[in-house]
Amino acid sequence: MEAGEKNKFYWRAEWMVELRPSALERDHYECQRCNHNWDSEQYPNKRKKTLTIAKTVHHIYSVEKYPEYAKELWNLVSLCYRCHNEVEGRAWFKFKEYKKKPQINDERW
């Protein structure tokens, strides 16, 4: 599936009204990776188990390589934004570690 076809697929009513909501409802709007219900060797989760709201649906077998599985409910998993970005290989926010500045008090002056 090419990039233009992929974009059209995600804007179709079948995806927006049927498939995506069905996957989120099946998983109770919970991130399956944060909850350790969907761990694999390819996408290990080293964080502790937490309950996180899922707002994205991920294709386990990608739409580009396996377009025949794009509409299968068993190929979909609900993920939070952070896990979806990690699984897709996108950079996530990396917060800088700030060093505490020494406090100024009367004794220093």
Side-chain angles (χ1 to χ4, degrees):
M1 187 178 286
E2 295 177 18
E5 292 177 28
K6 183 179 169 185
N7 288 338
K8 287 179 185 176
F9 171 77
Y10 286 116
W11 285 104
R12 287 188 183 134
E14 184 177 13
W15 172 256
M16 298 291 280
V17 178
E18 294 175 24
L19 293 170
R20 185 177 178 277
S22 296
L24 288 169
E25 287 175 17
R26 177 197 65 201
D27 297 336
H28 306 290
Y29 290 87
E30 297 171 358
C31 177
Q32 298 302 299
R33 190 164 177 255
C34 285
N35 207 10
H36 290 270
N37 291 335
W38 184 67
D39 280 334
S40 65
E41 293 176 12
Q42 189 176 7
Y43 308 115
N45 185 3
K46 297 177 183 174
R47 292 174 299 193
K48 68 177 189 173
K49 184 177 180 177
T50 57
L51 185 63
T52 311
I53 295 173
K55 294 189 177 183
T56 60
V57 175
H58 174 70
H59 284 90
I60 299 168
Y61 294 102
S62 69
V63 176
E64 293 90 4
K65 293 181 183 177
Y66 303 97
E68 63 272 15
Y69 299 148
K71 298 177 183 177
E72 301 293 337
L73 194 58
W74 58 264
N75 188 35
L76 304 175
V77 63
S78 302
L79 298 175
C80 65
Y81 290 129
R82 179 179 183 171
C83 288
H84 192 242
N85 285 330
E86 288 175 359
V87 168
E88 291 288 336
R90 299 179 194 133
W92 184 246
F93 297 107
K94 295 185 179 180
F95 297 103
K96 293 180 181 178
E97 291 184 23
Y98 293 101
K99 294 180 181 177
K100 283 189 173 181
K101 294 180 181 179
Q103 290 184 346
I104 299 173
N105 55 29
D106 293 335
E107 294 177 11
R108 286 190 66 189
W109 298 105

